[in-house]
Amino acid sequence: MNPMMIVACIAFLGGIVQGVTGFGAGIVMMMVLPVFFLIPQAAGISTTIGLMLNSLMAYRYRKSINLKKAIIPSTLFLVVSSCSAYFAMYVNQVLIKKIFGAFLIALSIYFIFFSNKEKKPLNLMASLFCIICSGLSDGLFGIGGPLMVLYFLNQTEGTEEYLGTIQTFFLVNSIYMAIFRFVNGIIGAGF
C-alpha cells in the first residue's frame, strides 16, 4: 500500500478518535507515522494534519471557549514544546525512537491504570507538571494531549467549556508548532 494512503487512513482514524474524545489524533497518528518518517518529521506531519481537526472542533464549540483559562498554559506550553522540538532535531534518531517507545509504554500504563481514577483538583505544582510534560512530549513526539486533558478537565466547567477551551488551546499551539517546524526545516512542502 502507498505510504500516503496509509497516512490518509491513519489521519482519518485519528480524526474519529479526536472527534469522540476531544484529543487523541496525535497518539493514533504517531503509532504509524514513525514507520515512514523520522520522529521529528512524523510529529510535524501529525501536528499539521491535526490543525484541521482542531479548527473544526474549536469552531463547533466557539461559544463555550474560555480564553482566560487557555492563555497562561499555552504560553508555557509553547516555550517548552519549542525547546524540545528544537532539541529533537539534534538528538540521535535511534535514541529518540527508543525514548518514544518508552513514552508510549508509559502513556499506555497511564491509560490502563490511572485515567479512570476519580479526578481531584490540581494544585499549582500538579498543573505545572501537566503543562511542562505535555509541552515536552508535544515538541519531541507531537503528542501533547493526555496531560493537558487532565489539566483542562480540572480547570473548566462542563463538557462544552472543556471541549471549546482545549480545542482552542490545541489549535493555537498546533499553528505555532507547525510554523516552528516549517521554519526550522523539520517539515517542508514534501514532508
Side-chain angles (χ1 to χ4, degrees):
M1 183 180 250
N2 181 343
M4 290 304 131
M5 288 300 296
I6 293 171
V7 170
C9 290
I10 201 68
F12 178 74
L13 289 174
I16 291 171
V17 170
Q18 180 107 0
V20 172
T21 64
F23 80 105
I27 296 170
V28 172
M29 287 188 277
M30 285 301 291
M31 289 190 299
V32 176
L33 291 177
V35 172
F36 302 104
F37 306 98
L38 297 174
I39 297 283
Q41 292 160 330
I45 293 165
S46 172
T47 299
T48 305
I49 291 170
L51 279 171
M52 183 56 72
L53 297 169
N54 298 136
S55 298
L56 292 172
M57 290 191 70
Y59 179 77
R60 180 176 180 193
Y61 294 100
R62 66 191 177 280
K63 294 179 182 175
S64 302
I65 296 169
N66 188 333
L67 285 177
K68 291 179 184 175
K69 292 182 179 179
I71 292 172
I72 292 174
S74 186
T75 304
L76 179 57
F77 185 95
L78 287 175
V79 169
V80 174
S81 61
S82 298
C83 292
S84 62
Y86 191 77
F87 172 76
M89 294 187 313
Y90 299 103
V91 174
N92 178 306
Q93 291 303 301
V94 173
L95 175 63
I96 202 163
K97 278 194 175 190
K98 289 178 182 180
I99 294 169
F100 181 60
F103 171 77
L104 288 177
I105 291 169
L107 194 59
S108 64
I109 290 169
Y110 167 78
F111 281 122
I112 291 169
F113 294 110
F114 302 108
S115 67
N116 292 329
K117 300 289 183 191
E118 183 180 324
K119 305 295 187 232
K120 297 177 183 175
L122 297 177
N123 62 30
L124 178 62
M125 292 307 291
S127 295
L128 288 173
F129 176 81
C130 288
I131 296 165
I132 291 170
C133 287
S134 289
L136 282 170
S137 63
D138 186 69
L140 290 172
F141 313 122
I143 302 174
L147 288 176
M148 291 312 298
V149 167
L150 178 61
Y151 174 82
F152 280 111
L153 281 173
N154 282 278
Q155 298 296 321
T156 55
E157 302 295 325
T159 303
E160 289 198 6
E161 182 182 336
Y162 158 74
L163 287 170
T165 305
I166 198 166
Q167 292 308 317
T168 302
F169 170 87
F170 287 145
L171 177 61
V172 168
N173 292 305
S174 294
I175 290 169
Y176 173 82
M177 287 307 294
I179 293 168
F180 178 88
R181 286 181 169 115
F182 183 77
V183 167
N184 286 289
I186 298 170
I187 58 172
F191 297 141

